[in-house]
Amino acid sequence: AVGAALDVRYRHVSPTGLAVDLRVKLVPFHDDVGAPAGFVGIAEDASAQIRAETLAAETERRNAVDSLTAGLAHNLNNILMVIQGNVDQIAAELPDDHPARLNADMTRLANQRAAAITRRLMVYSGQQTSDIRSVPVDAAVARIGAALDTSLPAGVRVTVDPGAGAAATVEVDATLFDETLEELTANARTAVGERGTLQLSSARTDGRDGPMIVITIADNGTGMDGDTRRRAKEPFFTTRAIGQGVGLGLSLADGFARYAGGELSVDSTPGTGTTVTLTLPLHGRA
């Protein structure tokens, strides 16, 4: 409306590239006959406030996602327990040479795979305790790298550099740790397709709370744009066609990292490739 006060936010970028979020408040004033004569106002740096609001919104969103994921995982787990119990009973009553025995065994294996995914969903949402143990990092990296090397197309070159040291360990669920590394390397393999490079490495670094282990999976594949990268760790978000993925890979890896006291970061550029970094606390002072 004419003569109304103005309260807006906008981002100012200086010629040097420095960006500042400003909040501008303007109040119009009039001359002696009531005609608009100008504005009086202030401009203040609102960067800290906007960052706090963004963080609060992100925390609220993550809590909602965690709650939804936990509820879904619990319901799936209840269903899978019923399936597993019935399959076990059927298999126990079938002779070894019965034609349906193979179907029962295949159903049991499929149910166990679904149960493993459900368990990781519960870990992601903070609802599941794990079998925590000390795991040698370099041995795990070398093992995953060797398995990866044997399964890659001839046009893909893989390098494995276990550089954390033989004594370096992390205190994690060993099964979830291996599954996380397998998932991250599988994503990299998909990104490079039939030709490219893939690097898997480990190293030590100093973190805010002490020594850390950094595991890096890098590829020169298709990469991700900004929006995809920001949403990459959301459960069930995927850019793949229906039937080719359900969007749980990076989200489960992120859940594992947070559960283990670390973090997962993703750096990616379209056409250049993606680097995923898994940072975990070093166990002990090895």
Side-chain angles (χ1 to χ4, degrees):
V2 176
L6 181 67
D7 188 343
V8 297
R9 294 176 179 177
Y10 77 97
R11 169 161 289 193
H12 172 73
V13 181
S14 71
T16 61
L18 178 64
V20 179
D21 292 302
L22 297 175
R23 182 177 185 182
V24 179
K25 300 179 181 179
L26 298 175
V27 178
F29 63 89
H30 304 79
D31 59 19
D32 294 340
V33 296
F39 291 89
V40 61
I42 61 171
E44 59 181 343
D45 186 347
S47 300
Q49 179 183 356
I50 292 176
R51 283 196 299 269
E53 292 173 354
T54 301
L55 179 60
E58 174 62 22
T59 300
E60 182 178 355
R61 186 195 66 81
R62 180 175 286 279
N63 289 340
V65 171
D66 286 352
S67 178
L68 174 63
T69 304
L72 175 63
H74 277 293
N75 287 331
L76 286 176
N77 190 57
N78 292 336
I79 295 171
L80 293 174
M81 289 179 63
V82 174
I83 295 174
Q84 186 69 43
N86 281 278
V87 169
D88 287 343
Q89 182 177 353
I90 292 171
E93 296 178 1
L94 290 175
D96 291 342
D97 59 349
H98 194 282
R101 184 59 185 253
L102 178 60
N103 299 91
D105 291 340
M106 292 176 62
T107 301
R108 181 190 292 111
L109 289 174
N111 195 72
Q112 290 172 351
R113 290 181 61 188
I117 294 175
T118 301
R119 185 167 69 98
R120 292 182 67 188
L121 285 172
M122 295 176 73
V123 170
Y124 173 88
S125 61
Q127 302 296 313
Q128 176 75 45
T129 57
S130 301
D131 181 17
I132 304 298
R133 64 184 69 177
S134 181
V135 178
V137 174
D138 282 357
V141 168
R143 182 174 63 254
I144 299 298
L148 179 68
D149 193 26
T150 60
S151 63
L152 289 172
V156 177
R157 182 172 62 88
V158 59
T159 60
V160 182
D161 181 18
T169 62
V170 289
E171 196 167 37
V172 294
D173 182 303
T175 300
L176 290 179
F177 185 49
D178 278 358
E179 289 177 353
T180 298
L181 294 184
E182 289 169 357
E183 185 68 46
L184 295 176
T185 53
N187 286 348
R189 175 184 173 179
T190 300
V192 299
E194 297 298 317
R195 185 171 299 277
T197 60
L198 193 155
Q199 299 173 316
L200 174 61
S201 65
S202 58
R204 301 191 195 196
T205 189
D206 292 325
R208 292 186 301 270
D209 300 319
M212 307 291 286
I213 294 294
V214 177
I215 300 172
T216 303
I217 300 95
D219 67 73
N220 67 343
T222 54
M224 294 179 277
D225 59 29
D227 182 62
T228 301
R229 185 179 65 253
R230 283 188 291 271
R231 300 189 59 193
K233 294 187 288 185
E234 291 184 7
F236 310 112
F237 172 76
T238 180
T239 58
R240 299 178 185 178
I242 295 176
Q244 295 182 4
V246 294
L248 288 176
L250 282 176
S251 63
L252 294 181
D254 179 54
F256 165 79
R258 290 188 289 115
Y259 184 84
E263 63 178 356
L264 185 81
S265 62
V266 180
D267 183 24
S268 187
T269 304
T272 299
T274 299
T275 298
V276 178
T277 303
L278 175 63
T279 305
L280 300 172
L282 174 69
H283 181 218
R285 297 289 177 178

